[in-house]
Amino acid sequence: MKEFRSDISGFYKLSFEERQQKISKIVNLNQEEIKVLQNLGYFTTTQIDTLIENVIGSYQLPFGLAFNFKINNKDYIIPMVIEEPSVVAAASNAAKFARKHGGFHSENVKSVMISQIQITQLDDVEIAKRSILENKDQILKIANEQDPFLNELGGGAFDFEIRELDTRKGKMLILHLLVDVLDAMGANVVNTMAEAVSPCIEELSEGKIYLRIVSNLASHRIAKSRATFDKDLLGGDQVVEGILNAYEFALADPYRATTHNKGIMNGIVALTIATGNDTRAIEAGAHAYAALKGQYSPLTKLQVDSDGNLVGEIEIPLALGIIGGMTKIHPMARLALKILNVKSANELSQVAAALGLAQNVAALRALASEGIQKGHMNLHSRNIAKLAGVPDELIEKVARKLVEDKKIRVDYAREILQRIENEKNL
Ligand code: MEV
């Protein structure tokens, strides 16, 4: 590819088509690549053009469904958007193991978000604190004036906490504005409220306010779910023992706990994307919560009951919404919410927590028995066959041979294809 400069100014001022043309020229796209760029899937040009800056196309991912979930006695079909093979099947399997014992029991999730206000340069922290606390009603009133509709629906700012922080720039007061955001993810509304109350707080505290922003550690929005996974369906005592050993490993070792939690997030993030929610917020919150007690730890708890079945629990902050953001704009997110049939953000979080728990148990079961690669490789082998240029009608045959011979490589797929063609020509 020819060299190019990246300091391209005014790209955003071009029309959508002009942007596509310009980038095609800069990086020298061929006709086939231009066609890929022009395929916007379910988006219209106008829709996609208003979502982010400098937009040139739309990126699609597989949209699958996990089955067998019964949560609080209601059945769910869970939409998942993920590129990784085996994850959807694994979740469906674990849900089946739990279903035998009544499925998942998820607790109500309060939709309370925190907005942080950072008050610095305080002469007297105690006086500042007192002055803010004495004017709590006025501060909450200003906050709620920013979203009267939310207030009317029963949500809004209802309280705050003040924390003292010792920093290298001296003592700071951190005010946590607590806002019930109801069915929204809530970042926008709490950011607006924090900005609106800041001048008043600055005056009361006689300090200087810098940051006014949501905290993605949504510690007032904790989702909890619990389920019993059938011992025999899991594969018997040995497998359960393996799962418990895997859990102890994760408890003792942050390196393992990270991967343990990654498995949980496979499910939760897939549902987060499917429903048009903010994956970065969910990930950041989950990992911070996992490390809150000092050591990065698993987000699930696993033990056996008196019959030898596996009992799993999960506890995770989940700032998920069913209104606002992309949830109602993205056509696939709307579809996902329809399939999922949830009526509130609370219900969505209850499902997400159950899915995370199922995903964790499924991963540990595979690791404690046949290993994770078998399931992965069956699907992966098809991708490799495709990459090797195997025609559609031979993909299945070549993929099977790759798995059989335990050589899932593009060069080997080509070799098999060659052999098949040679046989045909004999
Ligand atoms: C792979 O995406 C997820 C796992 O690594 C999770 C785990 O190890 O628990 C299988």
Side-chain angles (χ1 to χ4, degrees), residues 8-79:
I8 300 162
S9 65
F11 193 73
Y12 72 98
K13 287 188 200 154
L14 302 177
S15 72
F16 182 72
E17 287 79 12
E18 284 168 342
R19 266 180 254 140
Q20 286 188 327
Q21 282 158 14
K22 182 148 184 164
I23 196 66
S24 304
K25 219 182 205 164
I26 293 172
V27 302
N28 201 17
L29 296 185
N30 62 33
Q31 280 314 308
E32 213 169 298
E33 289 161 336
I34 290 173
K35 252 207 211 137
V36 173
L37 193 59
Q38 285 170 341
N39 181 1
L40 299 187
Y42 31 73
F43 280 117
T44 63
T45 307
T46 327
Q47 271 175 333
I48 197 98
D49 202 15
T50 50
L51 288 175
I52 59 165
E53 309 75 39
N54 294 340
V55 62
I56 60 160
S58 147
Y59 189 112
Q60 303 193 23
L61 285 167
F63 182 102
L65 297 175
F67 293 101
N68 305 323
F69 278 85
K70 191 185 265 293
I71 304 164
N72 297 341
N73 270 325
K74 176 174 168 184
D75 271 67
Y76 293 92
I77 295 172
I78 304 185

Side-chain angles (χ1 to χ4, degrees), residues 84 87 256 259-260 262-263 266 360 363-364 367 372 376:
E84 186 175 327
V87 171
R256 174 56 209 156
T259 322
H260 179 105
K262 191 271 183 184
N266 273 346
N360 178 233
L364 297 189
L367 290 169
I372 210 81
H376 259 278

Side-chain angles (χ1 to χ4, degrees), residues 83-314:
E83 86 300 344
E84 186 175 327
S86 305
V87 171
V88 175
S92 304
N93 272 336
K96 204 192 289 170
F97 307 158
R99 199 176 172 89
K100 192 165 170 204
H101 296 270
F104 298 81
H105 306 280
S106 296
E107 292 180 20
N108 276 325
V109 186
K110 283 195 264 163
S111 42
V112 174
M113 292 298 279
I114 298 168
S115 200
Q116 293 195 294
I117 298 168
Q118 179 200 23
I119 316 162
T120 68
Q121 296 170 23
L122 293 162
D123 288 336
D124 190 322
V125 168
E126 283 314 313
I127 293 179
K129 214 190 233 174
R130 208 174 321 132
S131 168
I132 296 169
L133 283 170
E134 277 165 5
N135 290 280
K136 191 181 245 187
D137 289 348
Q138 188 197 347
I139 294 169
L140 294 179
K141 185 168 169 279
I142 299 171
N144 283 322
E145 278 164 6
Q146 309 313 307
D147 198 335
F149 189 53
L150 180 67
N151 220 225
E152 249 170 61
L153 293 174
F158 60 92
D159 201 357
F160 56 68
E161 304 161 338
I162 304 182
R163 297 166 52 225
E164 269 181 47
L165 277 192
D166 282 313
T167 79
R168 294 189 309 183
K169 285 209 174 284
K171 228 182 213 354
M172 294 180 188
L173 282 183
I174 310 299
L175 187 141
H176 282 190
L177 189 64
L178 302 181
V179 185
D180 188 344
V181 296
L182 301 178
D183 282 329
M185 182 274 183
N188 270 333
V189 62
V190 303
N191 290 342
T192 307
M193 287 181 176
E195 289 187 8
V197 297
S198 285
C200 168
I201 295 173
E202 213 163 43
E203 203 173 296
L204 289 167
S205 64
E206 296 183 14
K208 163 104 186 102
I209 289 179
Y210 284 103
L211 268 59
R212 298 145 299 162
I213 186 77
V214 66
S215 170
N216 288 120
L217 177 49
S219 59
H220 291 271
R221 216 170 175 177
I222 303 297
K224 294 181 187 172
S225 191
R226 186 175 214 276
T228 299
F229 299 86
D230 189 74
K231 172 184 78 174
D232 296 324
L233 293 178
L234 280 167
D237 290 321
Q238 275 307 311
V239 175
V240 173
E241 187 53 25
I243 294 174
L244 292 176
N245 271 279
Y247 175 57
E248 291 304 317
F249 181 9
L251 265 182
D253 178 22
Y255 283 88
R256 174 56 209 156
T258 306
T259 322
H260 179 105
N261 289 343
K262 191 271 183 184
I264 294 169
M265 300 317 282
N266 273 346
I268 292 179
V269 168
L271 176 59
T272 302
I273 302 177
T275 54
N277 274 284
D278 181 343
T279 53
R280 290 82 59 210
I282 294 294
E283 287 275 14
H287 298 298
Y289 196 67
L292 213 52
K293 291 192 182 127
Q295 169 158 320
Y296 186 89
S297 305
L299 289 160
T300 52
K301 242 192 229 160
L302 300 170
Q303 54 197 316
V304 279
D305 68 10
S306 51
D307 298 322
N309 298 308
L310 185 77
V311 179
E313 288 170 69
I314 186 168

